[in-house]
Amino acid sequence: MTQTDQKTTHFGFTEVPEHEKAGRVQGVFGSVASKYDVMNDAMSMGIHRIWKDAMMDWLAPRPNTRLLDVAGGTGDISFRYLKRAGQAHATVCDLTEPMLIAGRQRAEADSMADSLDWVVGDAMALPFDDNTFDVYTISFGIRNVTRPQEALNEAYRVLKPGGRLMVLEFSQIPNDMMQKVYDLYSFNIIPKLGQVIANDRDSYQYLVESIRKFPDQDTFLNMVKQAGFENAKYRNLTMGIACLHSGWKV
């Protein structure tokens, strides 16, 4: 294949060959893994915790269910799900092993060890059988996938009939003026926080840029429907800075 024939995708605001993106994303999250949870607090002023709780409220975890948490990294969503469900099982799947290692080192991981699996895997080619899980979640991860539509297709494949998809991701503020204010904060403050807290400005510059390249709420809703999900809908969080998308495999 010649250079001109290669498919490209975005890595933040940079165009790169598709086959390079996964490795670059692994580099970002491998670099920030040990400081990832601290940085989430700093970047969102702690609001990411409220968003994740809102995700659980809408999801309403049930006992005796199997969760697949893709791009689950340090286990935040899985821990919340297991606490709410009572008796359930969660599989944390992530492309970046250092993120999983950081998750396994958290205190919750010890207390929930019998209910947790940690698996290195690609969202576009999940290492699981069809019709395996009751719930599929991906939180602040799908924008880092090279081809998000393929990740949604895989979510549909591995869910059981009656299974639920829920995606939490940064999105777009419908108000142009508010979006401009948010952009000023994001591009001027977050990379500096990354430098101070994680000694890694470039990774957080990428994270900010990746948010701007992600489809808006309605475009992504159509992608969820295209994957086969029924009763698909979304809810904006904090004016649309983040958004929850939900769908069912009927």
Side-chain angles (χ1 to χ4, degrees):
M1 180 182 287
T2 66
Q3 189 68 32
T4 55
D5 291 333
Q6 286 186 346
K7 286 188 176 180
T8 62
T9 187
H10 54 83
F11 179 76
F13 290 163
T14 305
E15 285 291 313
V16 299
E18 277 194 345
H19 68 271
E20 286 187 12
K21 181 166 180 176
R24 290 188 179 219
V25 168
Q26 280 181 293
V28 167
F29 286 97
S31 172
V32 304
S34 64
K35 299 286 187 180
Y36 185 70
D37 295 312
V38 175
M39 276 301 302
N40 274 345
D41 279 329
M43 285 195 303
S44 71
M45 294 174 284
I47 295 173
H48 77 100
R49 298 173 185 272
I50 296 171
W51 295 337
K52 289 169 181 174
D53 286 341
M55 184 183 197
M56 290 300 118
D57 289 343
W58 198 9
L59 198 53
R62 303 187 314 277
N64 304 313
T65 49
R66 293 179 60 84
L67 165 71
L68 175 61
D69 183 24
V70 174
T74 58
D76 239 15
I77 297 301
S78 291
F79 297 148
R80 280 175 163 79
Y81 187 93
L82 292 172
K83 286 173 185 175
R84 295 248 192 151
Q87 189 69 32
H89 189 277
T91 299
V92 185
C93 181
D94 201 285
L95 189 64
T96 308
E97 191 168 17
M99 291 287 284
L100 296 173
I101 291 170
R104 284 197 295 264
Q105 291 171 345
R106 291 176 59 173
E108 297 101 322
D110 282 341
S111 62
M112 301 178 185
D114 292 342
S115 303
L116 274 168
D117 291 326
W118 305 83
V119 177
V120 177
D122 184 344
M124 298 187 300
L126 293 170
F128 307 109
D129 292 335
D130 298 358
N131 308 314
T132 299
F133 298 95
D134 301 289
V135 180
Y136 173 112
T137 55
I138 184 165
S139 171
F140 303 121
I142 201 161
R143 76 181 188 282
N144 300 309
V145 174
T146 303
R147 294 182 293 279
Q149 187 66 61
E150 290 186 21
L152 292 171
N153 296 346
E154 277 288 271
Y156 189 88
R157 179 184 68 78
V158 301
L159 279 169
K160 298 175 184 176
R164 179 92 178 268
L165 164 84
M166 190 161 289
V167 181
L168 172 60
E169 189 51 89
F170 289 110
S171 197
Q172 310 299 325
I173 301 175
N175 182 298
D176 288 343
M177 182 58 69
M178 291 301 297
Q179 182 68 49
K180 287 177 182 175
V181 171
Y182 177 49
D183 284 347
L184 281 172
Y185 165 75
S186 298
F187 285 98
N188 289 290
I189 302 299
I190 290 176
K192 290 177 183 175
L193 287 173
Q195 182 63 45
V196 171
I197 295 173
N199 195 30
D200 188 345
R201 181 189 182 94
D202 290 348
S203 290
Y204 285 91
Q205 181 71 32
Y206 158 72
L207 292 175
V208 171
E209 293 176 2
S210 69
I211 293 168
R212 298 306 175 275
K213 297 295 289 185
F214 192 70
D216 65 21
Q217 289 88 326
D218 288 309
T219 302
F220 189 70
L221 182 66
N222 286 331
M223 293 169 66
V224 172
K225 292 176 179 176
Q226 186 177 328
F229 289 99
E230 302 284 344
N231 196 25
K233 55 187 68 173
Y234 67 82
R235 295 178 180 176
N236 280 329
L237 304 172
T238 315
M239 302 177 296
I241 290 176
C243 185
L244 283 168
H245 280 79
S246 169
W248 296 84
K249 179 174 177 177
V250 177

